[in-house]
Structures are given as structure tokens and as C-alpha cells.
Amino acid sequence: TGKCYHTFRGHSAEIVCLSFNPQSTLLATGSMDTTAKLWDLEKGEEVATLNGHSAEIIALSFNTTGDRIITGSFDHTVAVWDVGTGREQNLLIKMPKNNNAAVSSKAAMQRCCLCVQLWDAVTGAHIATLAGHSKEVLDVCFDYPGQRIATASADGSARVYNAGTKQCIAKLEGHEDEISKVS
């Protein structure tokens, strides 16, 4: 119908990322104001504000059970939050400067120029490096079951990796310019 049900206001700067909770009516937003917010889609109201990052939140995602959310920030950290309480559970990764975070419900991923660093979201242990692009990796995500990882690059290609073997299983080429998002 095109009807707008709710307009959510509360961030003091641009919203740069969002994620729907797969198990409830919650929506999470990440902002340049260094906070993430949880919103109830049915009631149209803010449920919680997640404070803890010292710089912009650039990526966020719920886990598949919907009880945790992971955020990545320009402060070079990835944090895990309890959805029920809105409290930070742990700081997963302190990343080197000049790298961006891409996060998923399965693991935390660090984009580093031409590769993706894969980290265990519970322990923070490094799992693998996914390489193959000739220019910067701009986005990365898992498929819903967590069996594949897709990457988008400034080289105009996307790649799909087997999450178990960490091997590239598909090279998707044909764009004339960069691919900035993958889902």
C-alpha cells in the first residue's frame, strides 16, 4: 500500500546501517552518533540505546536466534550486545587502524584492503583470511544458514566462499564499476 506506519526519531546524526531481528519485531539502527538503537516495529517506539563505541557505528547484525546483536565501529572495535538488556556483553576485536568492520550473526569479519579477516564471534579468535580481490573489499555478509560468505569489491566483482572450507566457490563478474553492497 505504500503506507508509512512509523517514523523513528532519536539518533542525533545519520543512520548508516540497520538490521531486522529474525525472531521478533525489533529493528536495530546504527548511527554516526556512535550509538545503536533498538526499535519496536509494532509499537513504533525506541526499546533501547546501545552506548559504548567511541566512534561511528558502521555495521550491525542480529544473530539467528535474535538474542544478541553485534556492532562494528570506526573506533576499530566489534562489540556483542544482549538484546534483552541492551548491555554490552563483550568487546570482541580491537582492530588495527585503517580497517573497517563488517559484522554478521555468524562471526565478525574485518575488511582489510584486498582481503577479509574472519573471526570467531564468541572467542574473538582469528579463523581465516579470505583473499582474491584485486581492489578493496567494500562489503561482506553470510547467508542465513551460515554456509556461505559473500564479498563485494571495488574491483567490480563479488565472490562467494564456502564458510566451512574458506575456499572461493564462485566469482561473480560483469559489473563495470565497484560493487558496494552484497546481501
Side-chain angles (χ1 to χ4, degrees):
T1 65
K3 178 184 174 186
C4 177
Y5 288 98
H6 302 291
T7 300
F8 299 101
R9 299 189 194 287
H11 284 290
S12 61
E14 297 90 347
I15 295 170
V16 295
C17 53
L18 61 86
S19 180
F20 289 95
N21 189 315
Q23 303 299 328
S24 74
T25 61
L26 290 179
L27 171 74
T29 55
S31 173
M32 299 294 277
D33 68 8
T34 75
T35 69
K37 290 186 179 285
L38 301 179
W39 309 89
D40 186 306
L41 293 172
E42 289 182 350
K43 296 178 182 175
E45 59 190 35
E46 182 180 328
V47 174
T49 298
L50 311 179
N51 287 301
H53 286 291
S54 62
E56 299 89 339
I57 294 176
I58 56 167
L60 54 77
S61 182
F62 286 96
N63 64 351
T64 55
T65 56
D67 62 340
R68 302 284 182 269
I69 188 165
I70 187 169
T71 56
S73 170
F74 274 143
D75 68 6
H76 309 286
T77 63
V78 174
V80 178
W81 308 81
D82 181 278
V83 170
T85 65
R87 294 192 174 167
E88 185 178 307
Q89 290 198 306
N90 59 359
L91 192 62
L92 275 183
I93 301 165
K94 178 71 174 169
M95 296 179 290
K97 294 198 183 299
N98 301 322
N99 285 312
N100 297 322
V103 297
S104 154
S105 60
K106 303 295 179 191
M109 294 174 282
Q110 174 186 350
R111 295 189 307 242
C112 62
C113 297
L114 310 180
C115 63
V116 173
Q117 300 296 328
L118 187 64
W119 304 84
D120 184 294
V122 175
T123 66
H126 183 261
I127 297 171
T129 299
L130 308 178
H133 287 288
S134 61
K135 291 186 179 176
E136 182 181 13
V137 175
L138 301 174
D139 196 28
V140 61
C141 73
F142 278 92
D143 67 348
Y144 185 76
Q147 297 174 350
R148 292 176 291 238
I149 302 165
T151 60
S153 173
D155 67 12
S157 74
R159 291 178 182 259
V160 180
Y161 296 84
N162 178 302
T165 66
K166 315 305 181 278
Q167 298 298 310
C168 181
I169 57 175
K171 296 176 188 175
L172 310 174
E173 300 173 312
H175 286 280
E176 294 180 14
D177 207 346
E178 72 180 29
I179 301 173
S180 58
K181 291 289 179 188
V182 65
S183 180

